[in-house]
Structure formats: C-alpha cells, structure tokens
Amino acid sequence: MDKTFEEEQRHLSEVYATIVKLRDELTEELAVHEQQAAEDLERMSDELRPDTFGVDADEIMETLAAIETLNSVIDSYNQQRDYAQERMRRVLALLRQPYFAKVRLRFRPNMPARDVYIGAVGLTDNNLNPLVVDWRSPIAETYYNQENGKTTYKVDGKERAVDLELRRQFDIVCDELRMYFDTTVAIEDSLLLSALKRHHSEKLQSITATIQREQNEVVRHEDVPVMLVSGIAGSGKTSVLLQRIAYLFYQERDRLSPRQVSLFTPNAVFSKYIDSVLPSLGESNPLVYTWRSFMESQELGGRDIGADTDPALMRKLEEAVPTLEIGLDDLRDIRIDGTTLLTAKQLKSALDKYADYPVGPRRIGFVLDDLYARLNRRFSALARDEDMQEAMLSLDIGKQEEILGDIVGDDAENEQKIIEYTRAYVEHLYGSARDLIDYCDWLRIDRMGARLLDGHSLNATEWLWLWLLITDGGSKETRYVMVDEVQDYSVSQLMLLSKFYPKAHFLLLGDEHQAIREGTATWQQIRDVFVASHGTVEESALLTSYRSSPEITELFSSLMSEQERGNLSSVRRAGVMPYIQAFDAKDVDAYVEQLKTVARESQDEEGLTAIVASDGRRVSWLSKQLGNLASVVRKNDTLPATGVVILDLALAKGLEFDHVVISDAQQEVYPNTELARRRLYTAISRAMHRVTILAQGALTPLLDDYLRNTLT
C-alpha cells in the first residue's frame, strides 16, 4: 500500500470529521435558535394589546414601543439566523470536497516545512488553526505559481519568499481520496487533464482547482483602471473572469458588495449558463446584464437599444452640448400623482440663474441645489395647507405611527406640531420628487437630441449618452465592471459604458477572432476608448486552449494567421479527427438524411451535441427537418446537460458542447471574407471533443488550407 496515500487519507478523514462536527453543531444551533425565537416572539406577541380603541394615549405609546421592541428582536434573530445559514452553506460546500491541493512550504532554512491544504473556502479548528485555507488567500498563490523551489507570494503588497518543496493535487469526493498527484508545471497538471476529460454540463463549472499560471496572473492581477485580456477560444476567459470576481470579493470582504460589481454577458442563455459558479465558491452573483437588460434597467427598454450606433453621432452630441440652449419647451413639470410640485417655468428660472455656465454637469449641479431649495419651500407651504393638515389628521393611529413616526394625540391643538407632522406627511406623499430632480427627469432629452441631430430620433444608447453629457449621471457606486466577449461591442457601446461607470475599474475579455458582427470595435479601438476615459490600459493574453482537443484546435486555428497559430497550444489529449462532408445543393434529401443520422448517433453519446446554424431562419428550417431528434434553444432557455439541440451562432457564443455540428458550411454562408472567417472560427471552437461539418452545396473555401494540409 502507498504510505503517502494512507497518510493523506488519514488526514482527509480527520478534516472531514471536523467538518461534519461543525455541520452538526450548526444544525443544532439553528434548530435551538429557531425554537427560542419562536417562543420569545410568541411571548412578546401575547403581551401586546392588539386593540387600541378606547385606550388612553399612554397605553397606546406603551403598545407602540412594545411593537418597536418586537421588530428589533425579529431583526436580531434574522441576522443571527442569516449568519449561521451562511456558515452552514460554506460547510456544506466543504463536505462535497474539503480541499483539492496542498503545498509544503519552508519559510526559513532552519525551520521545519509546513503543509498547507487549499480548498474552495477556508476552515479553522476551534483553536483558530487553519485546517483548509481559501484558494484566494495570499499563501495559496504558491500553488498557482507552479514553481517548485524558491518562490514568492504577496501579503498586503509585500513579497514573502518561501521554498516550495511539494505541490500536490487531490482527486477527492467527500471523505474519499481517489488519487493524488505531485506536479511541478502546468503541462503535467494531472488534475487539469482529468477535469478536461469530463463532458459538458448544463452549468459552467468552477475552475478553482485547475487554474493555470497564465490564468492565475489575470485572476490575481493588481487592481488597475482597465485590463484588456485577449484569449483564444477555449482558453477559459469566462471562467477566469468569474474567478477574478470571487477573488475581489475575498480581497475586499468588508468593503465590496455584489451590487458594486456589474457583469455584461452576451445573452440570457449565457447568463444562466454561468450563474452557479460564484455561489459554488460561497459568493453571491454580481449584477448581471445583457445590453438589452442594461437599457431596461435605465427604463429605456422600449427603444431601439442602439447597439450599432454610429460613434460619429456620439461625438457630435459631445461637441454640441456646451453650446446647447435649453428652452421652456425642453422642460417638463415635476409632478407626483397629479400634483405639480415645480413648474417648467420654475425650472427655467433655475437654469437661467446659472446661464453664465455652459450646459453640462457643472451647471446642472448648481441647478439641482436650487431645485432642492425650491422643493423644500414648496413642501413647507404644503405643510401649512389646511386641506393637507386635515388629511394628515384623518390618518388612523397605525398609519400615523408608520408615516409620521409618532401619533398626534394631545398635539392636535399645537399649531407648530401640526405643521411638523404635516411636513412629514408631505414628505411621505411627494418625497420621490427628489429622485425626479436627481435623475433630471424634468429634462426633455429626446427634444434636445432631435434638435442637436437635425431631427434624428434618439435610440437608447444615444439618449443615455446625451443624458450623461448634460447631467454627469450614471453609477458612481459601481467599483468594477466586467465585460465578457468585448469584441462584440461597438465603439459607441464601450464609450457609453466608460462614461456611465466613471469610477469603476474595467476587466475586458474577448477574442478578436470571434467578432461575428459587422461594425464591432477593433482591439485598437477598444484601447483608444478606455485610454481616453481611464488613462491607461494593461493587457494580458491567454494562448492555451483547455476546451478543445488538439484536432479541433488545429482546425479552428487554421483560420488564423500563421504567426498567431505559432503561439497557440492545446493541453487536451488526442481525440478524433473532424468529419467534413459536402452535398450537392440540389440533393436536399441526402443532406437531411445525413443530418438525421448524426443527430440519432449523438443521442446515444454522452454529453450535449449542438447543431449550430448561421441564423434564426436556418434554425427554424432545421427544426422542421429533424423533428423530435433535436430541440431548439431560444434566448431565454437553459441548456440541457445531454441530448441534441439546435441554436444559432449568436446564442452559441461563449458556450461549449461535447459535439458541434456545423450544419451550413457551404460557400454562400461562409464565403472567403474576414467576417465569415471569424464566424466559422467561433462555430468550430464551441466543440470540446468532436466536430462534424456539413455543407448543403459547395464547401466553404475557408477550409481549403486545412484540408490541403491534412491530406498532405
């Protein structure tokens, strides 16, 4: 028997027993807490007087105070329960796999080496000694550096030198050690190679245990204003992005909220595909947007979203805003529930007070202060209005406590107190007017935009851009913005994001070879946009394919330049050669029969097969031909784990499948153009294990070089 295996299994059993004990203690704690909370709340509820009719004011006040105390107790119990449940969630994650690696580190030559076990979350024993360290902790960097011998890791910006004597990986399920590997460099990463053998799952899996050195450099990169990551297909860009988010949450545990991080994804299918990664690491998902949902969050969903907006129009607006004259017709009254609080003339008066300043954030800032003052005066006037006072006095006692924070009681004859109570009531009714002032809802952006652009109606991108130019609105609280598939964004979209999130740091990931639409930003244009807005752009490259077999990597890399091809590699083991067949365009029956044969055979295979069509019309046609042999994936669907699906190329972007069938590889669909080359590269590179290419007519000439080299 392997003594090392026995020792590691014994250690695993001890750690697992500690985790089980902690789970049991938390289970008991939650049960006792729930019972105690129920008893306390029942007792306190029984002491309350639910009916206040005919009761004097002192007893009413005692009842209201008791209610307030009860609410505080409920809040306290909820906080304790939430904390215990969060700990339980992390413990349950460790029960699935307590750790995945260990390093043996010697901190000083004359001191014994120390073993450090690394897992998805950290765990200490009752004496606060670490049993498992979180993969994001500084010391875990020694594992991801993949350098035996002298190495370093950073703590609070300072480098610490250690001697890495052992780097060991584990294949563990619960308390069972299946295998261990001692490795030194990435290409010998047995855990990675084992993981790569697995088939597609309906959700993207965390790569925490298999992060490679080039990926780790992105995940743990120092915080910079903008980082642009170029990665070939299958290099783990999306996984790296999500690990980076998890790393930031760990580094800024008490300072960074999930609502301060925004993630932009290609489509809703992709959003669902990645939504379990961060929770599996014990973290909450950030705000996740597609371009459409982002516009909907700004209440602009009813417009053309403006993905293809001409940046020249954006620049024209930018140049024109300082010379803009805002007239009375460019303003609207500030109204709440039919009550006018500030008229357009009052707004114009406030704007005219600062006419020495050009239209823009500085002038609007002065105007907003003026409007707040006017609104306060309006509220004070309403507080003295007899009808408003009568409405306030008509509130029942419960509503008085809820809205006013007090009950009127004996103060009904005190004029000053009545004014104060009514002011609180006015705030309750119309306080949201401040939001309208803040958001500059009183500006008719469409009217001004049409005038500046000679009658052109604003789409959502143009509207939001003009609003930002005038008001300097946007999100000042967002600290990080992550953009996946950045090559699919236009210059205008990126200009808008950089301005909407002026204080945020950006991580931009993409592959310029997967830009499948005309008019999207080039790599140089991406740099230019963010250098202009954030000053500098740091860059990194991911050049190893972890998704596709060497045969598939060779196929899609044949669509790249010879120089680019020379830098790429795949770490997967050899697989099967791509299958390529072209049919006579007139022989539709033979083509469809072959497609059906592929679909039938794929149903018996492990994993998921995707028939990738060029567009939605082709998806519909294929669905009719294949019937129940394949199901169609649409934009809001979740991918299944197995079977055969049909989807268009735009939806397939960013996803991966065991077997990809490119169903329309004919010359008309993929002519010898740069755009077609990128589209074909994208379609092929979705595949992990197998690629089948079928053409209904002459085969695309883009594969000529590959076929020529393969045949020779």
Side-chain angles (χ1 to χ4, degrees), residues 608-612 643-647 652 657-662 686:
L608 182 63
T609 293
I611 300 173
V612 179
V644 182
V645 297
I646 308 171
L647 71 170
F657 308 93
D658 293 281
H659 182 189
V660 166
V661 180
I662 299 172
R686 302 307 91 208

Side-chain angles (χ1 to χ4, degrees), residues 697-712:
L699 185 67
T700 169
L702 296 172
L703 295 177
D704 287 351
D705 286 347
Y706 171 79
L707 292 172
R708 186 162 44 249
N709 294 333
T710 303
L711 292 174
T712 57

Side-chain angles (χ1 to χ4, degrees), residues 271-284:
S271 298
K272 292 179 180 179
Y273 179 55
I274 66 174
D275 64 12
S276 65
V277 173
L278 287 168
S280 75
L281 298 173
E283 302 293 352
S284 300

Side-chain angles (χ1 to χ4, degrees), residues 283-353:
E283 302 293 352
S284 300
N285 280 318
L287 299 174
V288 181
Y289 297 111
T290 62
W291 191 254
R292 180 169 296 282
S293 68
F294 170 65
M295 287 304 179
E296 288 171 350
S297 74
Q298 302 303 310
E299 301 183 359
L300 296 169
R303 299 171 183 254
D304 172 0
I305 59 175
D308 299 318
T309 297
D310 185 350
L313 282 180
M314 309 270 280
R315 296 187 182 101
K316 183 177 180 179
L317 287 171
E318 190 168 20
E319 292 168 1
V321 162
T323 64
L324 178 66
E325 294 293 335
I326 300 179
L328 187 61
D329 290 341
D330 296 323
L331 307 172
R332 61 167 63 91
D333 295 346
I334 294 178
R335 299 168 61 86
I336 300 291
D337 295 333
T339 298
T340 299
L341 298 168
L342 294 175
T343 66
K345 287 185 177 180
Q346 289 175 300
L347 302 175
K348 182 68 167 63
S349 171
L351 278 163
D352 289 345
K353 283 176 64 175

Side-chain angles (χ1 to χ4, degrees), residues 31 54 114 167 207 265 398 524 602 615 675:
R114 180 176 131 207
R167 180 176 179 269
I207 63 166
T265 67
Q524 186 57 51
S602 298
D615 55 36
L675 178 61

Side-chain angles (χ1 to χ4, degrees), residues 75-178:
D75 288 342
S76 176
Y77 276 130
N78 287 340
Q79 289 175 4
Q80 295 174 34
R81 180 202 60 204
D82 291 346
Y83 175 71
Q85 287 179 340
E86 172 63 19
R87 290 175 64 208
M88 177 65 86
R89 185 163 63 89
R90 296 169 71 84
V91 165
L92 292 178
L94 286 176
L95 285 173
R96 294 191 292 270
Q97 185 188 53
Y99 47 82
F100 54 79
K102 92 169 181 183
V103 289
R104 181 168 295 155
L105 301 173
R106 189 177 298 277
F107 293 87
R108 294 178 185 173
N110 58 346
M111 292 183 63
R114 180 176 131 207
D115 287 344
V116 177
Y117 288 82
I118 302 168
V121 297
L123 179 69
T124 59
D125 62 20
N126 291 333
N127 296 319
L128 300 181
N129 297 313
L131 295 174
V132 181
V133 302
D134 193 294
W135 68 275
R136 296 162 291 186
S137 68
I139 202 169
E141 187 176 357
T142 58
Y143 170 74
Y144 294 110
N145 283 342
Q146 299 175 336
E147 291 179 344
N148 278 29
K150 302 295 183 183
T151 188
T152 61
Y153 65 97
K154 289 184 178 180
V155 180
D156 298 329
K158 297 179 180 179
E159 280 198 351
R160 293 192 177 181
V162 293
D163 193 350
L164 176 60
E165 296 185 350
L166 176 73
R167 180 176 179 269
R168 180 168 290 164
Q169 300 172 323
F170 302 105
D171 182 0
I172 289 173
V173 176
C174 298
D175 61 347
E176 178 190 357
L177 175 60
R178 296 183 172 184

Side-chain angles (χ1 to χ4, degrees), residues 272-479:
K272 292 179 180 179
Y273 179 55
I274 66 174
D275 64 12
S276 65
V277 173
L278 287 168
S280 75
L281 298 173
E283 302 293 352
S284 300
N285 280 318
L287 299 174
V288 181
Y289 297 111
T290 62
W291 191 254
R292 180 169 296 282
S293 68
F294 170 65
M295 287 304 179
E296 288 171 350
S297 74
Q298 302 303 310
E299 301 183 359
L300 296 169
R303 299 171 183 254
D304 172 0
I305 59 175
D308 299 318
T309 297
D310 185 350
L313 282 180
M314 309 270 280
R315 296 187 182 101
K316 183 177 180 179
L317 287 171
E318 190 168 20
E319 292 168 1
V321 162
T323 64
L324 178 66
E325 294 293 335
I326 300 179
L328 187 61
D329 290 341
D330 296 323
L331 307 172
R332 61 167 63 91
D333 295 346
I334 294 178
R335 299 168 61 86
I336 300 291
D337 295 333
T339 298
T340 299
L341 298 168
L342 294 175
T343 66
K345 287 185 177 180
Q346 289 175 300
L347 302 175
K348 182 68 167 63
S349 171
L351 278 163
D352 289 345
K353 283 176 64 175
Y354 304 100
D356 290 344
Y357 297 96
V359 171
R362 189 176 185 190
R363 183 175 179 184
I364 292 299
F366 289 133
V367 171
L368 293 183
D369 289 341
D370 190 280
L371 295 182
Y372 297 144
R374 292 174 188 247
L375 186 66
N376 284 332
R377 290 196 293 271
R378 176 76 166 115
F379 282 179
S380 295
L382 286 171
R384 289 176 168 79
D385 182 86
E386 291 184 1
D387 291 338
M388 189 64 69
Q389 292 177 356
E390 188 62 36
M392 181 275 295
L393 290 169
S394 299
L395 296 171
D396 62 39
I397 290 176
K399 282 294 182 182
Q400 287 183 15
E401 173 66 20
E402 176 187 340
I403 296 171
L404 311 179
D406 202 351
I407 57 172
V408 178
D410 294 337
D411 292 326
E413 303 301 322
N414 185 323
E415 182 179 352
Q416 186 57 41
K417 292 294 291 186
I418 292 300
I419 292 173
E420 291 175 8
Y421 287 136
T422 307
R423 175 60 185 259
Y425 182 52
V426 169
E427 288 280 356
H428 169 74
L429 293 176
Y430 305 122
S432 58
R434 290 192 178 85
D435 294 333
L436 299 181
I437 292 175
D438 275 338
Y439 192 71
C440 295
D441 191 64
W442 41 278
L443 289 171
R444 296 181 183 271
I445 298 294
D446 280 303
R447 191 179 189 92
M448 290 183 281
R451 190 162 71 250
L452 293 174
L453 296 178
D454 305 320
H456 173 79
S457 296
L458 301 182
N459 61 39
T461 298
E462 293 159 351
W463 191 100
L464 194 53
W465 177 253
L466 181 54
W467 178 76
L468 289 169
L469 291 171
I470 294 174
T471 68
D472 193 30
S475 175
K476 305 299 193 297
E477 295 77 29
T478 301
R479 294 184 53 199

